[in-house]
Amino acid sequence: MTRPPAAPCEPVPVVVAIPARDEAAWLPGTLAALAAQVGAPAFGVLVLANNCTDGTADVARAFRDRLKVRVVDCALTGAEAGVVGARRRALDLAAGWAGPDGVIVSTDADTCAAPDWLAQMLVPLRDGADAAAGRILLRAHERAALTEAARRTHLYDLAYRLAASRVEAHFDPVAHDPWPRHAQHFGASLALTVRAYRQVGGVPDVTALEDVALVRALQRADLTLRHTPHARVYTSARRCGRVGVGLSTQLGEWASGRVWTVPGGQEVAALARAQAALRRAYAAGPGHAACAARSLAALWLTSIPALRAALRSPTLGEALERAHAARLAAGWWGVTFRPVPVERALAELRGALEHV
């Protein structure tokens, strides 16, 4: 049962939303980092203390002399008690506090923002983007404490994702998300306008990865997302995560020492070319779809009717989503391209970038 918040509720232009469950040990660092923000406009912080037994709400209230904090102490039940429901409730409340012309920013209770994080997150929105995603890095001392296998694979994966983003930006340039950019769009560092949040109906009803689902909803609606490399947060490397699928499970897999495989350089480039061709065909209009579908089918390794159907989508984002679904359903993509060890994939991408 949710108790009424005992904190200032006057509208503020920007609200940072933090869902938290038994985070009394981590939350002080998170809030101290927010209190130290520079260059940002006036902002509020909404802490949703969900089913807490360790004084998380009291920790948040203790920061009221340093931050405009609104604490919502609640006991969500059933499916809503998990991270998906908590994130949804936190962002819904933040959107109500910020108002229709405001901005909501998501982060996590075990995450510390760089001093200019909030200011940098707001730059793309000020320039016209509907949403912005910032970099999420591990705290240096926690990264150093990882096992050798986990640390090595983590660093390879970071380098691989950035190289893949560079190749994608070259073959499939997107005006609102140019290079330099990155590939992360997760709840620890995500901002969007309240209007965009309302337009897509808020956090989707999924069982996991609600942040990724929210970003996909934005993309499906042709709302613009900027992966800004200038906004950074530093999160924990804890192995006992609060979600079934997330960074903690990733770190556990890397620590096992098993070979980490990812799409190779040829696959990354092929998919980027396919996406770029579909963008051009969609922009050309329905009359161009019939003649474009044949060449698109060869690029996407799926059927002509599937690509024609994709091109009839009401938005480009939905057209891309349907093309990806058709690509995977056809099965030929997985036959043509096979995952490779991350070290090899990184070498392939770096080789491709030498000619970019």
Side-chain angles (χ1 to χ4, degrees):
M1 182 175 184
T2 303
R3 290 185 290 180
C9 295
E10 67 275 10
V12 291
V14 178
V15 177
V16 178
I18 307 173
R21 185 168 187 171
D22 289 340
E23 296 283 13
W26 292 98
L27 190 58
T30 301
L31 296 177
L34 291 175
Q37 292 296 295
V38 296
F43 68 95
V45 178
L46 186 140
V47 177
L48 184 86
N50 170 34
N51 287 283
C52 294
T53 61
D54 69 344
T56 293
D58 291 333
V59 167
R61 293 186 186 102
F63 274 81
R64 283 181 175 160
D65 60 338
R66 301 170 62 185
L67 287 166
K68 186 184 291 293
V69 178
R70 179 183 178 191
V71 180
V72 179
D73 195 351
C74 64
L76 302 180
T77 60
E80 290 300 299
V83 67
V84 176
R87 181 88 64 190
R88 181 188 297 115
R89 180 70 66 89
L91 289 176
D92 285 351
L93 291 170
W97 190 9
D101 297 321
V103 171
I104 51 178
V105 187
S106 173
T107 193
D108 292 334
D110 65 340
T111 300
C112 292
D116 64 344
W117 170 69
L118 190 53
Q120 293 291 351
M121 287 290 281
L122 296 176
V123 168
L125 277 64
R126 186 188 62 208
D127 292 343
D130 299 297
R135 290 294 308 278
I136 304 168
L137 304 170
L138 293 181
R139 292 187 177 96
H141 69 281
E142 293 192 56
R143 186 180 65 227
L146 294 173
T147 66
E148 175 61 26
R151 183 168 61 253
R152 182 173 181 273
T153 304
H154 169 64
L155 293 175
Y156 266 117
D157 190 73
L158 275 180
Y160 164 79
R161 302 293 169 187
L162 286 175
S165 293
R166 179 70 183 94
V167 169
E168 291 163 357
H170 175 73
F171 289 112
D172 182 28
V174 178
H176 62 261
D177 197 20
W179 182 259
R181 69 188 193 201
H182 59 90
Q184 297 173 309
H185 38 249
F186 303 114
S189 188
L190 186 66
L192 65 162
T193 66
V194 172
R195 292 186 187 280
Y197 185 70
R198 300 291 195 209
Q199 183 175 332
V200 299
V203 174
D205 186 13
V206 293
T207 57
L209 298 176
E210 76 291 341
D211 42 9
V212 176
L214 176 57
V215 168
R216 286 177 178 168
L218 295 170
Q219 294 170 331
R220 193 180 305 120
D222 283 352
L223 296 171
T224 55
L225 172 73
R226 170 66 172 139
H227 293 86
T228 173
H230 305 298
R232 298 190 171 202
V233 298
Y234 300 87
T235 196
S236 74
R238 61 186 177 187
R239 295 280 298 280
C240 51
R242 304 301 173 85
V243 297
V245 180
L247 177 60
S248 60
T249 53
Q250 190 81 86
L251 291 171
E253 186 170 352
W254 290 341
S256 72
R258 290 191 296 270
V259 175
W260 178 242
T261 59
V262 294
Q266 288 186 338
E267 181 175 359
V268 171
L271 192 54
R273 291 189 184 99
Q275 291 184 156
L278 190 142
R279 289 183 202 276
R280 292 192 296 269
Y282 191 88
H288 186 68
C291 59
R294 185 176 299 276
S295 60
L296 285 174
L299 288 170
W300 286 86
L301 299 182
T302 190
S303 70
I304 294 173
L307 269 301
R308 284 177 177 164
L311 288 171
R312 290 195 292 270
S313 300
T315 64
L316 171 62
E318 185 175 324
L320 285 165
E321 187 174 85
R322 294 181 69 179
H324 280 291
R327 166 180 68 91
L328 296 175
W332 291 107
W333 193 272
V335 173
T336 304
F337 300 106
R338 298 293 180 89
V340 302
V342 66
E343 297 95 327
R344 174 180 159 188
L346 178 58
E348 291 173 354
L349 289 170
R350 285 175 171 170
L353 289 172
E354 291 178 359
H355 306 289
V356 170

